[in-house]
Amino acid sequence: MNSIRIWGALLLLISTYYSTKAQSHQWANNVTSSSKLLPVPTSLSLDSNNNIYQLVRFIDTLKIESKYCYSNKSDFSFCLNKSNKNGKNIWMQLILTNSSTSPNTNNLRVNNLVVVNSNKILIYGTFSAGILYIGLNDSIQNSKNKQVGFIAEMDSNGRCKFLNKIFET
């Protein structure tokens, strides 16, 4: 009986020690999609001001907290999201293809994001559909329906500064 009390006291002491050393999270964002498939965060990075940039793969409609990103498609799209250090959503930028020109060959992949500094965010990946769009104003075409590599630079306000092909195979 005494050994049970000793082990119980030791377990209580150990759990108390580790619970005082553990960090609690400061905030959490609710990320949902209108699709039956869950949204998938694919990349995460911080800038020097502790703003958080994340890429999320989704189908149809993505909701992060109270902001929406609409693709209205049955193919995968991506969203580049910026939140401040307190988790408040600052902006979202849609990344998608026009797969109607080459059905079932969307194959959009946004492989990574790199924060160079607080005003230079790079994203890169590949696609094989007819057109890649970043937001409403920036696009590149795949005239031969090949696999196309791309790189884009975004500023701290979510504007695309450039979008270029880096290879076609």
Side-chain angles (χ1 to χ4, degrees):
M1 187 72 165
N2 282 340
S3 65
I4 293 175
R5 286 184 186 169
I6 291 171
W7 281 109
L10 184 59
L11 184 61
L12 178 63
L13 208 122
I14 291 170
S15 65
T16 303
Y17 171 78
Y18 282 109
S19 67
T20 60
K21 300 292 182 191
Q23 294 180 352
S24 66
H25 64 279
Q26 300 297 314
W27 54 266
N29 276 343
N30 185 22
V31 179
T32 59
S33 174
S34 62
S35 168
K36 291 181 183 177
L37 297 173
L38 295 174
V40 177
T42 60
S43 192
L44 185 71
S45 192
L46 296 173
D47 68 15
S48 59
N49 299 319
N50 290 322
N51 293 309
I52 301 134
Y53 298 85
Q54 79 175 337
L55 279 168
V56 180
R57 186 181 73 178
F58 71 101
I59 293 177
D60 195 29
T61 303
L62 176 72
K63 180 181 178 189
I64 299 178
E65 290 303 315
S66 60
K67 293 189 178 181
Y68 291 87
C69 206
Y70 300 101
S71 73
N72 297 321
K73 294 170 49 89
S74 59
D75 284 331
F76 285 113
S77 298
F78 284 80
C79 178
L80 175 59
N81 172 59
K82 178 182 179 181
S83 300
N84 69 14
K85 65 182 179 181
N86 298 316
K88 182 177 184 269
N89 193 340
I90 298 171
W91 52 257
M92 297 168 75
Q93 187 65 271
L94 180 63
I95 305 164
L96 76 158
T97 61
N98 177 3
S99 58
S100 64
T101 57
S102 42
N104 303 317
T105 59
N106 179 356
N107 294 326
L108 174 61
R109 305 272 188 275
V110 183
N111 298 339
N112 205 356
L113 72 96
V114 177
V115 176
V116 177
N117 59 48
S118 60
N119 200 39
K120 188 175 191 176
I121 300 92
L122 301 176
I123 59 171
Y124 60 90
T126 60
F127 72 101
S128 58
I131 303 173
L132 170 73
Y133 297 97
I134 296 185
L136 300 174
N137 301 316
D138 297 288
S139 65
I140 54 176
Q141 292 189 355
N142 178 3
S143 58
K144 300 173 184 163
N145 290 329
K146 294 184 175 188
Q147 193 72 13
V148 174
F150 70 91
I151 187 165
E153 180 183 330
M154 312 296 284
D155 69 13
S156 61
N157 295 313
R159 288 186 298 267
C160 185
K161 293 168 89 175
F162 73 78
L163 172 59
N164 292 324
K165 290 181 189 180
I166 52 178
F167 68 82
E168 258 185 345
T169 59

